[in-house]
Amino acid sequence: MISFYPGPSRVYDQVPKYVKDAHAAGILSMNHRSPEFMAMMKKTLTLLKRKLSIPKDYTILFTSSATECWEVVAQSWITDKSFHLYNGAFGQKWYDYTRKLKPGATALPFDREAVLNPGQFVFEGTENVICITQNETSNGTQVSNELIRTIRAGNPQHIIAVDVTSSLAGVKLDFSAADIWLASVQKCFGLPAGLGIMICSPGAVEHARAIDNRQFYNSAVVMIDMIGKWQTSFTPNVMGIYLLMRVMEKVKPINAIHKLTASRYKNWMKMLDKKPTLRHLIRNEAVRSLTVLPLEADEKTISKIKKSAKENGFLLGDGYGDLKSTTLRIANFPAITDREIKALMKFLAGQR
Ligand SMILES: *Cc1c(COP(=O)(O)O)cnc(C)c1O
């Protein structure tokens, strides 16, 4: 079965070998306070910064999931208000979780066909948190680097937090334009689930230190202090970190990966142009995600394609939430091979 599911998704072919290597090298029972672990952590973070073009002065933290990162943002950075810019289910979930912890959370939804227009929203105060879902996995839309830069320029004192769970390591991101970039590894990293990543600007670190909330094992300041010693505040997913290190060693720098993602996206669009029964859910090309493709058809066609895909060895993503019966989603993640994409395109071309 070839997985085109947009998370958990296809892992890199080398992952089983890396797991074996991890066992042989004693990684699976490695002590997370040992010098060996600290060296592995240091190497992993250095590679992440180098391969993804993350500024050297940023701090990278590990959690267990992107959802946990949402909670850390709420607990460690939001003191008063947060503003949630979203157009789909993941952005809405982030807002819902935050609202339970911080009643000052404010929803600022926008239409999924619309280019986000930050000028139409009011971000009160000067030091609140603006939350943006950069790549909305549920409906296949994205917010551009340019737009995030515009929001940064207009709100220099606010902390800007960006959910890049289904785009980090798949497309080029301008980390200088925001303070907290959160994700997990079971999407564009081509790794098994169980590891969340939070990339923090010096401003975000300073802000967390000023607030100094130390109530939780995963309070940002506690994690920041620990990562200064190449450690974590809890026993982390050591194998996950090892696998991330191996994959980061192997993958090309993000500029090359971005090119691949963008050219594959173009090929998918070309293929869809020739397919009247199946079309991109999003009409506005300017807001389409490069990494998650939501395809729309009538209910009967969608269920037929899904069923037949399974019989032919392709696992396609279900539509999300209320789009479940009329859409399916295809991951355009780097671990998928050209051969697999060709095979799926051929299969879809033969469907009516
Ligand atoms: C998958 C996803 C999440 C949730 O990730 P977990 O690691 O399961 O917590 C959050 N946001 C977006 C945009 C996602 O695609």
Side-chain angles (χ1 to χ4, degrees), residues 112 138-139 276-283 293-306 317-330:
R112 68 172 183 244
S138 69
N139 61 25
T277 47
L278 201 58
R279 56 170 207 84
H280 200 292
L281 169 71
I282 305 298
R283 261 78 156 183
L293 310 172
L295 307 185
E296 186 181 42
D298 61 80
E299 212 169 314
K300 229 175 96 198
T301 307
I302 290 291
S303 82
K304 208 175 79 200
I305 291 179
K306 263 189 216 157
D318 286 325
Y320 202 92
D322 43 349
L323 299 169
K324 195 170 172 103
S325 57
T326 52
T327 60
L328 52 87
R329 292 175 304 153
I330 295 175

PDB file of all heavy atoms in Angstrom, residues 112 138-139 276-283 293-306 317-330:
ATOM      1  N   ARG A 112     -12.003  30.396   3.068  1.00  0.00           N
ATOM      2  CA  ARG A 112     -10.898  29.586   2.542  1.00  0.00           C
ATOM      3  C   ARG A 112     -10.524  29.955   1.111  1.00  0.00           C
ATOM      4  O   ARG A 112      -9.441  29.605   0.646  1.00  0.00           O
ATOM      5  CB  ARG A 112     -11.198  28.090   2.673  1.00  0.00           C
ATOM      6  CG  ARG A 112     -12.304  27.580   1.798  1.00  0.00           C
ATOM      7  CD  ARG A 112     -12.375  26.052   1.855  1.00  0.00           C
ATOM      8  NE  ARG A 112     -13.404  25.591   0.940  1.00  0.00           N
ATOM      9  CZ  ARG A 112     -14.516  24.944   1.314  1.00  0.00           C
ATOM     10  NH1 ARG A 112     -14.724  24.630   2.566  1.00  0.00           N
ATOM     11  NH2 ARG A 112     -15.396  24.569   0.404  1.00  0.00           N
ATOM     12  N   SER A 138      -6.664  20.679   6.489  1.00  0.00           N
ATOM     13  CA  SER A 138      -8.028  20.192   6.270  1.00  0.00           C
ATOM     14  C   SER A 138      -8.592  20.612   4.919  1.00  0.00           C
ATOM     15  O   SER A 138      -9.401  19.904   4.338  1.00  0.00           O
ATOM     16  CB  SER A 138      -8.950  20.680   7.386  1.00  0.00           C
ATOM     17  OG  SER A 138      -9.147  22.081   7.291  1.00  0.00           O
ATOM     18  N   ASN A 139      -8.167  21.784   4.409  1.00  0.00           N
ATOM     19  CA  ASN A 139      -8.740  22.244   3.139  1.00  0.00           C
ATOM     20  C   ASN A 139      -7.708  22.590   2.068  1.00  0.00           C
ATOM     21  O   ASN A 139      -8.050  23.108   1.002  1.00  0.00           O
ATOM     22  CB  ASN A 139      -9.698  23.424   3.377  1.00  0.00           C
ATOM     23  CG  ASN A 139      -8.989  24.624   4.005  1.00  0.00           C
ATOM     24  OD1 ASN A 139      -7.790  24.781   3.859  1.00  0.00           O
ATOM     25  ND2 ASN A 139      -9.738  25.450   4.699  1.00  0.00           N
ATOM     26  N   PRO A 276     -12.080  16.470 -15.990  1.00  0.00           N
ATOM     27  CA  PRO A 276     -13.260  17.290 -15.673  1.00  0.00           C
ATOM     28  C   PRO A 276     -14.027  16.822 -14.435  1.00  0.00           C
ATOM     29  O   PRO A 276     -14.659  17.638 -13.762  1.00  0.00           O
ATOM     30  CB  PRO A 276     -14.125  17.173 -16.934  1.00  0.00           C
ATOM     31  CG  PRO A 276     -13.611  15.979 -17.659  1.00  0.00           C
ATOM     32  CD  PRO A 276     -12.195  15.792 -17.279  1.00  0.00           C
ATOM     33  N   THR A 277     -13.958  15.535 -14.101  1.00  0.00           N
ATOM     34  CA  THR A 277     -14.768  15.036 -12.989  1.00  0.00           C
ATOM     35  C   THR A 277     -14.157  15.332 -11.612  1.00  0.00           C
ATOM     36  O   THR A 277     -14.826  15.255 -10.603  1.00  0.00           O
ATOM     37  CB  THR A 277     -14.957  13.515 -13.084  1.00  0.00           C
ATOM     38  OG1 THR A 277     -13.681  12.934 -13.349  1.00  0.00           O
ATOM     39  CG2 THR A 277     -15.936  13.150 -14.186  1.00  0.00           C
ATOM     40  N   LEU A 278     -12.865  15.628 -11.612  1.00  0.00           N
ATOM     41  CA  LEU A 278     -12.161  15.778 -10.341  1.00  0.00           C
ATOM     42  C   LEU A 278     -11.470  17.132 -10.373  1.00  0.00           C
ATOM     43  O   LEU A 278     -10.696  17.414 -11.277  1.00  0.00           O
ATOM     44  CB  LEU A 278     -11.117  14.657 -10.247  1.00  0.00           C
ATOM     45  CG  LEU A 278     -10.585  14.248  -8.899  1.00  0.00           C
ATOM     46  CD1 LEU A 278     -11.700  13.794  -7.981  1.00  0.00           C
ATOM     47  CD2 LEU A 278      -9.555  13.130  -9.067  1.00  0.00           C
ATOM     48  N   ARG A 279     -11.750  17.992  -9.370  1.00  0.00           N
ATOM     49  CA  ARG A 279     -11.085  19.303  -9.433  1.00  0.00           C
ATOM     50  C   ARG A 279     -10.572  19.724  -8.058  1.00  0.00           C
ATOM     51  O   ARG A 279     -10.955  19.160  -7.034  1.00  0.00           O
ATOM     52  CB  ARG A 279     -12.034  20.347 -10.009  1.00  0.00           C
ATOM     53  CG  ARG A 279     -13.343  20.454  -9.255  1.00  0.00           C
ATOM     54  CD  ARG A 279     -14.132  21.663  -9.727  1.00  0.00           C
ATOM     55  NE  ARG A 279     -14.981  22.108  -8.631  1.00  0.00           N
ATOM     56  CZ  ARG A 279     -14.584  22.911  -7.660  1.00  0.00           C
ATOM     57  NH1 ARG A 279     -13.362  23.389  -7.627  1.00  0.00           N
ATOM     58  NH2 ARG A 279     -15.419  23.244  -6.693  1.00  0.00           N
ATOM     59  N   HIS A 280      -9.674  20.679  -8.075  1.00  0.00           N
ATOM     60  CA  HIS A 280      -9.139  21.179  -6.817  1.00  0.00           C
ATOM     61  C   HIS A 280     -10.268  21.847  -6.040  1.00  0.00           C
ATOM     62  O   HIS A 280     -11.039  22.621  -6.611  1.00  0.00           O
ATOM     63  CB  HIS A 280      -8.007  22.175  -7.097  1.00  0.00           C
ATOM     64  CG  HIS A 280      -7.096  22.390  -5.930  1.00  0.00           C
ATOM     65  ND1 HIS A 280      -7.505  23.021  -4.781  1.00  0.00           N
ATOM     66  CD2 HIS A 280      -5.803  22.026  -5.714  1.00  0.00           C
ATOM     67  CE1 HIS A 280      -6.490  23.061  -3.916  1.00  0.00           C
ATOM     68  NE2 HIS A 280      -5.449  22.458  -4.458  1.00  0.00           N
ATOM     69  N   LEU A 281     -10.377  21.536  -4.759  1.00  0.00           N
ATOM     70  CA  LEU A 281     -11.447  22.116  -3.933  1.00  0.00           C
ATOM     71  C   LEU A 281     -11.388  23.644  -3.942  1.00  0.00           C
ATOM     72  O   LEU A 281     -12.414  24.326  -3.911  1.00  0.00           O
ATOM     73  CB  LEU A 281     -11.299  21.601  -2.489  1.00  0.00           C
ATOM     74  CG  LEU A 281     -12.147  22.289  -1.414  1.00  0.00           C
ATOM     75  CD1 LEU A 281     -13.622  21.922  -1.568  1.00  0.00           C
ATOM     76  CD2 LEU A 281     -11.650  21.902  -0.021  1.00  0.00           C
ATOM     77  N   ILE A 282     -10.172  24.182  -3.981  1.00  0.00           N
ATOM     78  CA  ILE A 282      -9.980  25.630  -3.859  1.00  0.00           C
ATOM     79  C   ILE A 282      -9.868  26.256  -5.253  1.00  0.00           C
ATOM     80  O   ILE A 282      -8.970  25.919  -6.020  1.00  0.00           O
ATOM     81  CB  ILE A 282      -8.705  25.923  -3.026  1.00  0.00           C
ATOM     82  CG1 ILE A 282      -8.784  25.220  -1.656  1.00  0.00           C
ATOM     83  CG2 ILE A 282      -8.487  27.428  -2.867  1.00  0.00           C
ATOM     84  CD1 ILE A 282      -9.920  25.670  -0.757  1.00  0.00           C
ATOM     85  N   ARG A 283     -10.778  27.159  -5.572  1.00  0.00           N
ATOM     86  CA  ARG A 283     -10.770  27.820  -6.885  1.00  0.00           C
ATOM     87  C   ARG A 283      -9.621  28.812  -6.999  1.00  0.00           C
ATOM     88  O   ARG A 283      -9.033  28.969  -8.054  1.00  0.00           O
ATOM     89  CB  ARG A 283     -12.093  28.588  -7.087  1.00  0.00           C
ATOM     90  CG  ARG A 283     -13.130  27.871  -7.911  1.00  0.00           C
ATOM     91  CD  ARG A 283     -13.823  26.809  -7.111  1.00  0.00           C
ATOM     92  NE  ARG A 283     -15.154  26.481  -7.637  1.00  0.00           N
ATOM     93  CZ  ARG A 283     -15.963  25.628  -7.057  1.00  0.00           C
ATOM     94  NH1 ARG A 283     -15.587  24.993  -5.949  1.00  0.00           N
ATOM     95  NH2 ARG A 283     -17.137  25.359  -7.580  1.00  0.00           N
ATOM     96  N   LEU A 293      -3.154  18.440  -1.283  1.00  0.00           N
ATOM     97  CA  LEU A 293      -4.063  18.682  -2.397  1.00  0.00           C
ATOM     98  C   LEU A 293      -5.439  18.114  -2.086  1.00  0.00           C
ATOM     99  O   LEU A 293      -5.609  16.893  -2.023  1.00  0.00           O
ATOM    100  CB  LEU A 293      -3.522  18.020  -3.670  1.00  0.00           C
ATOM    101  CG  LEU A 293      -2.057  18.305  -4.018  1.00  0.00           C
ATOM    102  CD1 LEU A 293      -1.610  17.448  -5.182  1.00  0.00           C
ATOM    103  CD2 LEU A 293      -1.873  19.760  -4.346  1.00  0.00           C
ATOM    104  N   PRO A 294      -6.429  18.976  -1.900  1.00  0.00           N
ATOM    105  CA  PRO A 294      -7.786  18.497  -1.682  1.00  0.00           C
ATOM    106  C   PRO A 294      -8.523  18.423  -3.021  1.00  0.00           C
ATOM    107  O   PRO A 294      -8.591  19.416  -3.739  1.00  0.00           O
ATOM    108  CB  PRO A 294      -8.394  19.593  -0.793  1.00  0.00           C
ATOM    109  CG  PRO A 294      -7.644  20.835  -1.155  1.00  0.00           C
ATOM    110  CD  PRO A 294      -6.336  20.443  -1.794  1.00  0.00           C
ATOM    111  N   LEU A 295      -9.018  17.272  -3.373  1.00  0.00           N
ATOM    112  CA  LEU A 295      -9.701  17.116  -4.656  1.00  0.00           C
ATOM    113  C   LEU A 295     -11.187  16.909  -4.416  1.00  0.00           C
ATOM    114  O   LEU A 295     -11.590  16.160  -3.531  1.00  0.00           O
ATOM    115  CB  LEU A 295      -9.113  15.930  -5.432  1.00  0.00           C
ATOM    116  CG  LEU A 295      -7.596  15.950  -5.622  1.00  0.00           C
ATOM    117  CD1 LEU A 295      -7.158  14.788  -6.507  1.00  0.00           C
ATOM    118  CD2 LEU A 295      -7.123  17.272  -6.204  1.00  0.00           C
ATOM    119  N   GLU A 296     -11.970  17.569  -5.238  1.00  0.00           N
ATOM    120  CA  GLU A 296     -13.413  17.560  -5.040  1.00  0.00           C
ATOM    121  C   GLU A 296     -14.119  16.901  -6.211  1.00  0.00           C
ATOM    122  O   GLU A 296     -13.714  17.056  -7.371  1.00  0.00           O
ATOM    123  CB  GLU A 296     -13.902  19.009  -4.897  1.00  0.00           C
ATOM    124  CG  GLU A 296     -15.363  19.130  -4.555  1.00  0.00           C
ATOM    125  CD  GLU A 296     -15.803  20.587  -4.453  1.00  0.00           C
ATOM    126  OE1 GLU A 296     -15.384  21.413  -5.304  1.00  0.00           O
ATOM    127  OE2 GLU A 296     -16.552  20.897  -3.516  1.00  0.00           O
ATOM    128  N   ALA A 297     -15.166  16.156  -5.887  1.00  0.00           N
ATOM    129  CA  ALA A 297     -16.047  15.586  -6.912  1.00  0.00           C
ATOM    130  C   ALA A 297     -17.382  15.300  -6.234  1.00  0.00           C
ATOM    131  O   ALA A 297     -17.530  15.542  -5.039  1.00  0.00           O
ATOM    132  CB  ALA A 297     -15.452  14.304  -7.486  1.00  0.00           C
ATOM    133  N   ASP A 298     -18.346  14.780  -6.995  1.00  0.00           N
ATOM    134  CA  ASP A 298     -19.600  14.442  -6.323  1.00  0.00           C
ATOM    135  C   ASP A 298     -19.378  13.218  -5.427  1.00  0.00           C
ATOM    136  O   ASP A 298     -18.405  12.480  -5.578  1.00  0.00           O
ATOM    137  CB  ASP A 298     -20.719  14.190  -7.342  1.00  0.00           C
ATOM    138  CG  ASP A 298     -20.390  13.034  -8.249  1.00  0.00           C
ATOM    139  OD1 ASP A 298     -20.576  11.875  -7.832  1.00  0.00           O
ATOM    140  OD2 ASP A 298     -19.904  13.276  -9.378  1.00  0.00           O
ATOM    141  N   GLU A 299     -20.304  13.043  -4.490  1.00  0.00           N
ATOM    142  CA  GLU A 299     -20.158  12.026  -3.454  1.00  0.00           C
ATOM    143  C   GLU A 299     -19.906  10.629  -4.021  1.00  0.00           C
ATOM    144  O   GLU A 299     -19.061   9.888  -3.515  1.00  0.00           O
ATOM    145  CB  GLU A 299     -21.436  12.041  -2.606  1.00  0.00           C
ATOM    146  CG  GLU A 299     -21.184  11.689  -1.169  1.00  0.00           C
ATOM    147  CD  GLU A 299     -22.406  11.968  -0.297  1.00  0.00           C
ATOM    148  OE1 GLU A 299     -23.009  13.062  -0.425  1.00  0.00           O
ATOM    149  OE2 GLU A 299     -22.749  11.091   0.495  1.00  0.00           O
ATOM    150  N   LYS A 300     -20.637  10.307  -5.086  1.00  0.00           N
ATOM    151  CA  LYS A 300     -20.532   8.967  -5.675  1.00  0.00           C
ATOM    152  C   LYS A 300     -19.133   8.736  -6.255  1.00  0.00           C
ATOM    153  O   LYS A 300     -18.515   7.697  -6.035  1.00  0.00           O
ATOM    154  CB  LYS A 300     -21.597   8.803  -6.776  1.00  0.00           C
ATOM    155  CG  LYS A 300     -22.401   7.514  -6.624  1.00  0.00           C
ATOM    156  CD  LYS A 300     -23.529   7.432  -7.634  1.00  0.00           C
ATOM    157  CE  LYS A 300     -23.116   6.623  -8.851  1.00  0.00           C
ATOM    158  NZ  LYS A 300     -24.013   6.876  -9.995  1.00  0.00           N
ATOM    159  N   THR A 301     -18.650   9.734  -6.981  1.00  0.00           N
ATOM    160  CA  THR A 301     -17.316   9.629  -7.598  1.00  0.00           C
ATOM    161  C   THR A 301     -16.239   9.489  -6.520  1.00  0.00           C
ATOM    162  O   THR A 301     -15.342   8.642  -6.638  1.00  0.00           O
ATOM    163  CB  THR A 301     -17.025  10.883  -8.449  1.00  0.00           C
ATOM    164  OG1 THR A 301     -18.120  11.070  -9.357  1.00  0.00           O
ATOM    165  CG2 THR A 301     -15.733  10.744  -9.228  1.00  0.00           C
ATOM    166  N   ILE A 302     -16.332  10.303  -5.477  1.00  0.00           N
ATOM    167  CA  ILE A 302     -15.320  10.252  -4.408  1.00  0.00           C
ATOM    168  C   ILE A 302     -15.292   8.863  -3.762  1.00  0.00           C
ATOM    169  O   ILE A 302     -14.218   8.270  -3.587  1.00  0.00           O
ATOM    170  CB  ILE A 302     -15.588  11.341  -3.341  1.00  0.00           C
ATOM    171  CG1 ILE A 302     -15.308  12.736  -3.918  1.00  0.00           C
ATOM    172  CG2 ILE A 302     -14.761  11.109  -2.071  1.00  0.00           C
ATOM    173  CD1 ILE A 302     -13.856  13.060  -4.206  1.00  0.00           C
ATOM    174  N   SER A 303     -16.458   8.334  -3.441  1.00  0.00           N
ATOM    175  CA  SER A 303     -16.450   7.043  -2.742  1.00  0.00           C
ATOM    176  C   SER A 303     -15.968   5.933  -3.675  1.00  0.00           C
ATOM    177  O   SER A 303     -15.291   5.005  -3.247  1.00  0.00           O
ATOM    178  CB  SER A 303     -17.822   6.741  -2.129  1.00  0.00           C
ATOM    179  OG  SER A 303     -18.695   6.204  -3.077  1.00  0.00           O
ATOM    180  N   LYS A 304     -16.284   6.058  -4.963  1.00  0.00           N
ATOM    181  CA  LYS A 304     -15.826   5.068  -5.940  1.00  0.00           C
ATOM    182  C   LYS A 304     -14.299   5.118  -6.090  1.00  0.00           C
ATOM    183  O   LYS A 304     -13.614   4.091  -6.071  1.00  0.00           O
ATOM    184  CB  LYS A 304     -16.504   5.328  -7.291  1.00  0.00           C
ATOM    185  CG  LYS A 304     -16.655   4.076  -8.145  1.00  0.00           C
ATOM    186  CD  LYS A 304     -17.426   4.359  -9.410  1.00  0.00           C
ATOM    187  CE  LYS A 304     -16.594   4.989 -10.373  1.00  0.00           C
ATOM    188  NZ  LYS A 304     -16.374   5.665 -11.390  1.00  0.00           N
ATOM    189  N   ILE A 305     -13.766   6.315  -6.215  1.00  0.00           N
ATOM    190  CA  ILE A 305     -12.312   6.460  -6.378  1.00  0.00           C
ATOM    191  C   ILE A 305     -11.580   5.934  -5.153  1.00  0.00           C
ATOM    192  O   ILE A 305     -10.589   5.205  -5.261  1.00  0.00           O
ATOM    193  CB  ILE A 305     -11.925   7.948  -6.630  1.00  0.00           C
ATOM    194  CG1 ILE A 305     -12.409   8.389  -8.005  1.00  0.00           C
ATOM    195  CG2 ILE A 305     -10.413   8.141  -6.511  1.00  0.00           C
ATOM    196  CD1 ILE A 305     -12.097   9.838  -8.342  1.00  0.00           C
ATOM    197  N   LYS A 306     -12.095   6.278  -3.963  1.00  0.00           N
ATOM    198  CA  LYS A 306     -11.441   5.834  -2.726  1.00  0.00           C
ATOM    199  C   LYS A 306     -11.380   4.314  -2.650  1.00  0.00           C
ATOM    200  O   LYS A 306     -10.352   3.734  -2.303  1.00  0.00           O
ATOM    201  CB  LYS A 306     -12.194   6.384  -1.521  1.00  0.00           C
ATOM    202  CG  LYS A 306     -11.586   7.643  -0.979  1.00  0.00           C
ATOM    203  CD  LYS A 306     -12.250   7.983   0.329  1.00  0.00           C
ATOM    204  CE  LYS A 306     -12.373   9.482   0.464  1.00  0.00           C
ATOM    205  NZ  LYS A 306     -13.438   9.864   1.391  1.00  0.00           N
ATOM    206  N   GLY A 317      -6.029  10.226   1.277  1.00  0.00           N
ATOM    207  CA  GLY A 317      -6.537  10.865   2.485  1.00  0.00           C
ATOM    208  C   GLY A 317      -8.024  11.123   2.372  1.00  0.00           C
ATOM    209  O   GLY A 317      -8.527  11.511   1.319  1.00  0.00           O
ATOM    210  N   ASP A 318      -8.742  10.879   3.471  1.00  0.00           N
ATOM    211  CA  ASP A 318     -10.158  11.236   3.504  1.00  0.00           C
ATOM    212  C   ASP A 318     -10.288  12.750   3.502  1.00  0.00           C
ATOM    213  O   ASP A 318      -9.388  13.451   3.923  1.00  0.00           O
ATOM    214  CB  ASP A 318     -10.796  10.711   4.801  1.00  0.00           C
ATOM    215  CG  ASP A 318     -10.987   9.217   4.764  1.00  0.00           C
ATOM    216  OD1 ASP A 318     -11.285   8.691   3.677  1.00  0.00           O
ATOM    217  OD2 ASP A 318     -10.831   8.571   5.824  1.00  0.00           O
ATOM    218  N   GLY A 319     -11.443  13.211   3.043  1.00  0.00           N
ATOM    219  CA  GLY A 319     -11.757  14.618   3.246  1.00  0.00           C
ATOM    220  C   GLY A 319     -11.880  14.862   4.733  1.00  0.00           C
ATOM    221  O   GLY A 319     -12.123  13.942   5.507  1.00  0.00           O
ATOM    222  N   TYR A 320     -11.719  16.129   5.147  1.00  0.00           N
ATOM    223  CA  TYR A 320     -11.681  16.412   6.578  1.00  0.00           C
ATOM    224  C   TYR A 320     -12.987  17.052   7.023  1.00  0.00           C
ATOM    225  O   TYR A 320     -13.484  17.987   6.398  1.00  0.00           O
ATOM    226  CB  TYR A 320     -10.505  17.343   6.883  1.00  0.00           C
ATOM    227  CG  TYR A 320     -10.056  17.281   8.318  1.00  0.00           C
ATOM    228  CD1 TYR A 320      -9.043  16.406   8.703  1.00  0.00           C
ATOM    229  CD2 TYR A 320     -10.654  18.071   9.283  1.00  0.00           C
ATOM    230  CE1 TYR A 320      -8.632  16.344  10.021  1.00  0.00           C
ATOM    231  CE2 TYR A 320     -10.249  18.005  10.607  1.00  0.00           C
ATOM    232  CZ  TYR A 320      -9.237  17.135  10.968  1.00  0.00           C
ATOM    233  OH  TYR A 320      -8.833  17.070  12.274  1.00  0.00           O
ATOM    234  N   GLY A 321     -13.546  16.566   8.117  1.00  0.00           N
ATOM    235  CA  GLY A 321     -14.748  17.176   8.711  1.00  0.00           C
ATOM    236  C   GLY A 321     -15.927  17.169   7.758  1.00  0.00           C
ATOM    237  O   GLY A 321     -16.259  16.134   7.180  1.00  0.00           O
ATOM    238  N   ASP A 322     -16.523  18.353   7.555  1.00  0.00           N
ATOM    239  CA  ASP A 322     -17.716  18.405   6.703  1.00  0.00           C
ATOM    240  C   ASP A 322     -17.391  18.254   5.209  1.00  0.00           C
ATOM    241  O   ASP A 322     -18.280  18.235   4.375  1.00  0.00           O
ATOM    242  CB  ASP A 322     -18.537  19.684   6.972  1.00  0.00           C
ATOM    243  CG  ASP A 322     -17.664  20.912   7.119  1.00  0.00           C
ATOM    244  OD1 ASP A 322     -16.435  20.746   7.212  1.00  0.00           O
ATOM    245  OD2 ASP A 322     -18.213  22.029   7.129  1.00  0.00           O
ATOM    246  N   LEU A 323     -16.091  18.154   4.887  1.00  0.00           N
ATOM    247  CA  LEU A 323     -15.715  17.933   3.482  1.00  0.00           C
ATOM    248  C   LEU A 323     -15.503  16.446   3.199  1.00  0.00           C
ATOM    249  O   LEU A 323     -15.103  16.061   2.107  1.00  0.00           O
ATOM    250  CB  LEU A 323     -14.425  18.695   3.167  1.00  0.00           C
ATOM    251  CG  LEU A 323     -14.459  20.222   3.326  1.00  0.00           C
ATOM    252  CD1 LEU A 323     -13.059  20.810   3.251  1.00  0.00           C
ATOM    253  CD2 LEU A 323     -15.348  20.843   2.245  1.00  0.00           C
ATOM    254  N   LYS A 324     -15.796  15.623   4.211  1.00  0.00           N
ATOM    255  CA  LYS A 324     -15.442  14.207   4.137  1.00  0.00           C
ATOM    256  C   LYS A 324     -16.000  13.484   2.900  1.00  0.00           C
ATOM    257  O   LYS A 324     -15.274  12.758   2.228  1.00  0.00           O
ATOM    258  CB  LYS A 324     -15.908  13.490   5.408  1.00  0.00           C
ATOM    259  CG  LYS A 324     -15.279  12.115   5.569  1.00  0.00           C
ATOM    260  CD  LYS A 324     -15.556  11.528   6.940  1.00  0.00           C
ATOM    261  CE  LYS A 324     -15.080  10.094   6.981  1.00  0.00           C
ATOM    262  NZ  LYS A 324     -13.826   9.933   7.698  1.00  0.00           N
ATOM    263  N   SER A 325     -17.267  13.678   2.609  1.00  0.00           N
ATOM    264  CA  SER A 325     -17.870  12.850   1.556  1.00  0.00           C
ATOM    265  C   SER A 325     -17.636  13.394   0.149  1.00  0.00           C
ATOM    266  O   SER A 325     -17.795  12.667  -0.826  1.00  0.00           O
ATOM    267  CB  SER A 325     -19.367  12.691   1.815  1.00  0.00           C
ATOM    268  OG  SER A 325     -19.968  13.967   1.886  1.00  0.00           O
ATOM    269  N   THR A 326     -17.241  14.661   0.020  1.00  0.00           N
ATOM    270  CA  THR A 326     -17.098  15.232  -1.324  1.00  0.00           C
ATOM    271  C   THR A 326     -15.664  15.564  -1.709  1.00  0.00           C
ATOM    272  O   THR A 326     -15.415  16.078  -2.795  1.00  0.00           O
ATOM    273  CB  THR A 326     -17.931  16.528  -1.458  1.00  0.00           C
ATOM    274  OG1 THR A 326     -17.592  17.396  -0.369  1.00  0.00           O
ATOM    275  CG2 THR A 326     -19.422  16.240  -1.421  1.00  0.00           C
ATOM    276  N   THR A 327     -14.723  15.282  -0.803  1.00  0.00           N
ATOM    277  CA  THR A 327     -13.319  15.521  -1.164  1.00  0.00           C
ATOM    278  C   THR A 327     -12.453  14.344  -0.742  1.00  0.00           C
ATOM    279  O   THR A 327     -12.848  13.515   0.087  1.00  0.00           O
ATOM    280  CB  THR A 327     -12.726  16.786  -0.482  1.00  0.00           C
ATOM    281  OG1 THR A 327     -12.792  16.624   0.931  1.00  0.00           O
ATOM    282  CG2 THR A 327     -13.440  18.054  -0.891  1.00  0.00           C
ATOM    283  N   LEU A 328     -11.292  14.280  -1.336  1.00  0.00           N
ATOM    284  CA  LEU A 328     -10.240  13.400  -0.824  1.00  0.00           C
ATOM    285  C   LEU A 328      -8.978  14.233  -0.835  1.00  0.00           C
ATOM    286  O   LEU A 328      -8.900  15.249  -1.526  1.00  0.00           O
ATOM    287  CB  LEU A 328     -10.112  12.127  -1.661  1.00  0.00           C
ATOM    288  CG  LEU A 328      -9.960  12.237  -3.171  1.00  0.00           C
ATOM    289  CD1 LEU A 328      -8.513  12.388  -3.562  1.00  0.00           C
ATOM    290  CD2 LEU A 328     -10.532  10.971  -3.804  1.00  0.00           C
ATOM    291  N   ARG A 329      -8.007  13.848  -0.040  1.00  0.00           N
ATOM    292  CA  ARG A 329      -6.781  14.637   0.036  1.00  0.00           C
ATOM    293  C   ARG A 329      -5.579  13.792  -0.357  1.00  0.00           C
ATOM    294  O   ARG A 329      -5.496  12.614  -0.006  1.00  0.00           O
ATOM    295  CB  ARG A 329      -6.595  15.206   1.448  1.00  0.00           C
ATOM    296  CG  ARG A 329      -7.643  16.286   1.803  1.00  0.00           C
ATOM    297  CD  ARG A 329      -7.501  16.735   3.244  1.00  0.00           C
ATOM    298  NE  ARG A 329      -7.597  15.584   4.147  1.00  0.00           N
ATOM    299  CZ  ARG A 329      -7.041  15.532   5.340  1.00  0.00           C
ATOM    300  NH1 ARG A 329      -6.352  16.549   5.805  1.00  0.00           N
ATOM    301  NH2 ARG A 329      -7.181  14.452   6.078  1.00  0.00           N
ATOM    302  N   ILE A 330      -4.675  14.427  -1.087  1.00  0.00           N
ATOM    303  CA  ILE A 330      -3.443  13.760  -1.494  1.00  0.00           C
ATOM    304  C   ILE A 330      -2.272  14.545  -0.929  1.00  0.00           C
ATOM    305  O   ILE A 330      -2.182  15.761  -1.119  1.00  0.00           O
ATOM    306  CB  ILE A 330      -3.352  13.713  -3.042  1.00  0.00           C
ATOM    307  CG1 ILE A 330      -4.474  12.830  -3.602  1.00  0.00           C
ATOM    308  CG2 ILE A 330      -1.994  13.214  -3.484  1.00  0.00           C
ATOM    309  CD1 ILE A 330      -4.530  12.825  -5.110  1.00  0.00           C
TER     310      ILE A 330
END
